[in-house]
Amino acid sequence: MKKWAFIVLTVTALLALIGCSEKEDKLADDALQKVSVVLDWTPNTNHTGLYVAKELGYFEEQGLDVEIIMPGEAGADQLVASGKAEFGVSYQEGITQARVQDVPLVSIAAIIQHNTSGFASIASKGITSPKDFEGKTYGGWGAPLEQAVLQSLMQTEDADINKLDIVNAGDLDFFTMMQKDIDFAWIYYAWTGIEAELRGEQINMLYLTDYSEQLDYYTPVLATNEKMIENNPDTVKAFVAAAAKGYEYAIEHPSEAADILLEAAPDLDKELVHKSQEWLADKYQDDAAQWGEQKLSVWENYANWMSSNQVLEGEFNAEQAFTNDFLPKKEKN
């Protein structure tokens, strides 16, 4: 009887301990502030720092329970501006357009310091400069901005945009377009360019930044809305601090960071993710004093370019479009 009484008491004590532990875990979960960050596209290496911050507990360290969600039919900018998501992945061009329409989006960190996009073509097409756009077909998504960028590049070599055929290719990917009657498209080298390398496809890449400093804008960025900044500045600061730590980890440990992204998005091609992550590692921060830093001159220069090329109508206040205030304070050497 004593033996059974001891066993009963022991089991009862263990159950009590388990119950206390579960209550403590629940209280710990409840103590975390739930927020969401909506991606601009399906998961890729632009987003790795967010997945790292979630997987390695950086968000939890800051008191946040962060859900990473897909944009769906409503884009990231729309969800963030309306308050349906606290944070999102956006672009300088989108925020600039939004601000002149009184949409209260604010960029809180540059994910990549310099514009890594440009016009790509299969090498056999012979497109090695904007002059070669003449007589060719460009496949895009139908935005007025595209024609302005194309014209801007072509003007540097006295090329005539009227000799370029611009078609709306919709959701077709670069490689599908190249199999059709399309000669070149706008891509991010970090993903599509790396994929071309892995496919053994020789491509010619004309980076926007090679032709205009004004086109060296921040793409992508992390964004929130003015209400979050006004009403929940501590939450914004916590989110940016954790994201910064995540991207800094990806800079220092690209292979491990790639594995974290693959675990979260297992349908991605493993080799592509690892090669892309390696290529981007030194691009995230590049020549900035710290990851995420943004410059007023970059925001002003691009807005001026947009205005002079008739793709921006209205008054734009660059100082209200972005902030570095929530970046972690770095000790100066």
Side-chain angles (χ1 to χ4, degrees), residues 2-15:
K2 289 181 179 179
K3 182 179 179 181
W4 282 108
F6 175 76
I7 292 173
V8 169
L9 287 170
T10 302
V11 171
T12 302
L14 285 171
L15 289 173

Side-chain angles (χ1 to χ4, degrees), residues 198-247:
L198 295 175
R199 287 172 175 237
E201 290 275 13
Q202 294 289 323
I203 66 170
N204 289 328
M205 185 77 181
L206 305 182
Y207 290 99
L208 271 57
T209 54
D210 288 340
Y211 296 91
S212 173
E213 289 185 2
Q214 289 183 303
L215 294 177
D216 190 12
Y217 51 85
Y218 299 117
T219 175
V221 299
L222 293 178
T224 190
N225 60 60
E226 290 180 354
K227 283 188 177 180
M228 275 295 296
I229 290 175
E230 181 179 354
N231 299 331
N232 302 284
D234 290 342
T235 303
V236 179
K237 184 177 181 180
F239 178 83
V240 175
K245 195 170 180 180
Y247 280 100

Side-chain angles (χ1 to χ4, degrees), residues 244-280:
K245 195 170 180 180
Y247 280 100
E248 287 166 356
Y249 179 94
I251 291 169
E252 296 295 329
H253 309 283
S255 181
E256 292 86 346
D259 286 336
I260 290 172
L261 176 59
L262 285 164
E263 186 175 347
D267 290 339
L268 295 176
D269 181 87
K270 182 177 180 180
E271 188 176 11
L272 173 57
V273 170
H274 273 270
K275 288 288 187 183
S276 174
Q277 201 65 62
E278 182 181 344
W279 191 87
L280 266 181

Side-chain angles (χ1 to χ4, degrees), residues 89-235:
V89 178
S90 185
Y91 309 88
Q92 182 175 333
E93 58 266 47
I95 291 177
T96 302
Q97 292 276 16
R99 297 293 310 187
V100 299
Q101 297 170 18
D102 296 323
V103 178
L105 290 172
V106 181
S107 175
I108 49 179
I111 292 178
I112 301 173
Q113 191 60 212
H114 294 284
N115 189 349
T116 61
S117 74
F119 296 111
S121 60
I122 301 300
S124 60
K125 300 282 187 180
I127 302 174
T128 59
S129 77
K131 179 68 176 176
D132 298 324
F133 292 170
E134 290 186 344
K136 300 295 194 300
T137 299
Y138 166 76
W141 58 91
L145 179 67
E146 291 175 284
Q147 182 165 339
V149 172
L150 287 162
Q151 183 168 347
S152 182
L153 265 63
M154 293 180 75
Q155 284 176 341
T156 65
E157 299 190 351
D158 296 322
D160 185 359
I161 195 169
N162 294 314
K163 296 179 180 179
L164 169 64
D165 187 17
I166 300 175
V167 301
N168 188 341
D171 293 330
L172 291 181
D173 66 77
F174 173 76
F175 302 100
T176 302
M177 281 192 276
M178 294 303 104
Q179 293 173 358
K180 298 182 179 294
D181 296 327
I182 293 174
D183 298 302
F184 68 105
W186 195 342
I187 72 166
Y188 285 90
Y189 193 86
W191 194 257
T192 307
I194 298 297
E195 184 177 357
E197 288 183 17
L198 295 175
R199 287 172 175 237
E201 290 275 13
Q202 294 289 323
I203 66 170
N204 289 328
M205 185 77 181
L206 305 182
Y207 290 99
L208 271 57
T209 54
D210 288 340
Y211 296 91
S212 173
E213 289 185 2
Q214 289 183 303
L215 294 177
D216 190 12
Y217 51 85
Y218 299 117
T219 175
V221 299
L222 293 178
T224 190
N225 60 60
E226 290 180 354
K227 283 188 177 180
M228 275 295 296
I229 290 175
E230 181 179 354
N231 299 331
N232 302 284
D234 290 342
T235 303

Side-chain angles (χ1 to χ4, degrees), residues 38-44 47 51 69-71 76 89 91 170-171 191:
V38 57
L39 304 182
D40 57 323
W41 199 248
T42 53
N44 58 66
H47 312 133
Y51 285 100
I69 60 177
M70 302 298 113
V89 178
Y91 309 88
D171 293 330
W191 194 257

